[in-house]
Amino acid sequence: MTINLIAYSLLGLGLMVLTVGFFGCRVALHGNQCILATYISMLVALIVTETVTAAVGGLMTFRMVSGLEERLIGKLAQDYGHEPTSDIPFSHSLDFAQYKFNCCGIHGYGDYNGTAWWRDAQISGNRRQVPLTCCVLKNTEESNTGSPMSVVSRVLHKHTEKPWLNPKPKDEIACQVEDKEGHDGYRHKEGCLDKVTNWLQCESFTLVLLGMAMAGIQIFGIITSAFLCRTIRDMQVD
C-alpha cells in the first residue's frame, strides 16, 4: 500500500512537471502575460506539492523505521518459510534482503534458532540452520550483465534470473555447519536490520535532495518569469 501510494504520487508529480513545462514553452513562444501568470502560479503550486510530498515521504519512512525491529522479529519467528501456511510475500522479501545486502536474519544468523521455520526443518530432517539465502551464493543476478543484446533478450523474454528465489550456495554443507569456524566464509553473519534501515534512510535522503534541487530550479524559473512579466508590461505601456 505504501509503495503504491509513493508510486502514484511520483506519477502525479511527473504529470504536473510536464504540464508546467508545456506552459513554460508557451510563454517562451508567445510572451503572453496571461499565460506567464498561469505559469508562475503553476510553478508555485508545484513547489508546494513537492514540499508536501517530501514531508509525507519523510514521515512515512519514519513510521516504517519506527518499530521495524519488533515487527520483523515477530514475523520471522512465526511467519517465515516456504510452506503454504507461511507468509510467502514476507519470506520472499526477507530472502531478497538477505541476497541483496549479504546478511542473515534480523540481527544475525542466530535469529533463526527456534523459529517456526527452524522447527519445521528439524522435523523434516533437512537440519538446515539458516535459509539458503544466508549462504554465500555462486549464482548471481544476470539481468544487467553481458552484451546489450543479451540483456535486452533476457528482459523481453522474461528470462531474468532471481537468485533469491532459487539460491545455489557456494558450499551448502559448509554453510549449514553449526560451528562458527566451519561456516566461516560460506555464511553471511551480519543481520539485515541495520542495512535495510540505512538503505531506506539513504533513499529518502536522496529523494529529498532531488526535490530540493527541483525546487531551486523552479524558484529560479519564478524569478525569471516575474522579470519577464514586468518586461512585457513595460513594453505594452510603451
Side-chain angles (χ1 to χ4, degrees), residues 3 61 64 96 100-101 192-206:
I3 298 299
T61 302
M64 287 175 62
F96 175 74
K100 179 178 177 63
F101 298 111
C192 296
L193 179 63
D194 290 339
K195 294 187 176 185
V196 171
T197 302
N198 290 337
W199 179 82
L200 283 172
Q201 292 174 343
C202 181
E203 292 298 312
S204 299
F205 184 68
T206 301

Side-chain angles (χ1 to χ4, degrees), residues 112-217:
Y112 284 99
N113 293 337
T115 62
W117 171 87
W118 184 86
R119 292 193 299 270
D120 291 341
Q122 305 308 305
I123 294 173
S124 65
N126 64 35
R127 301 291 180 178
R128 285 179 180 167
Q129 302 300 313
V130 293
L132 296 182
T133 47
C134 284
C135 303
V136 176
L137 303 181
K138 61 183 178 182
N139 60 324
T140 56
E141 191 174 9
E142 298 179 348
S143 58
N144 296 320
T145 59
S147 66
M149 288 300 296
S150 63
V151 172
V152 172
S153 176
R154 285 196 297 269
V155 171
L156 291 178
H157 294 90
K158 298 182 179 180
H159 288 160
T160 52
E161 186 181 2
K162 297 180 179 179
W164 60 94
L165 298 181
N166 184 31
K168 298 176 182 177
K170 183 178 179 181
D171 188 332
E172 182 177 350
I173 296 176
C175 174
Q176 301 298 336
V177 171
E178 293 188 44
D179 182 70
K180 291 184 179 181
E181 294 182 358
H183 63 241
D184 188 32
Y186 298 97
R187 181 195 299 182
H188 302 305
K189 299 181 179 181
E190 294 183 73
C192 296
L193 179 63
D194 290 339
K195 294 187 176 185
V196 171
T197 302
N198 290 337
W199 179 82
L200 283 172
Q201 292 174 343
C202 181
E203 292 298 312
S204 299
F205 184 68
T206 301
L207 287 175
V208 170
L209 284 181
L210 288 174
M212 291 175 62
M214 290 181 63
I217 294 172

Side-chain angles (χ1 to χ4, degrees), residues 53-71:
T53 302
V56 171
L59 180 61
M60 292 175 67
T61 302
F62 176 76
R63 291 185 61 184
M64 287 175 62
V65 173
S66 299
L68 182 63
E69 180 179 1
E70 291 77 11
R71 294 196 302 271

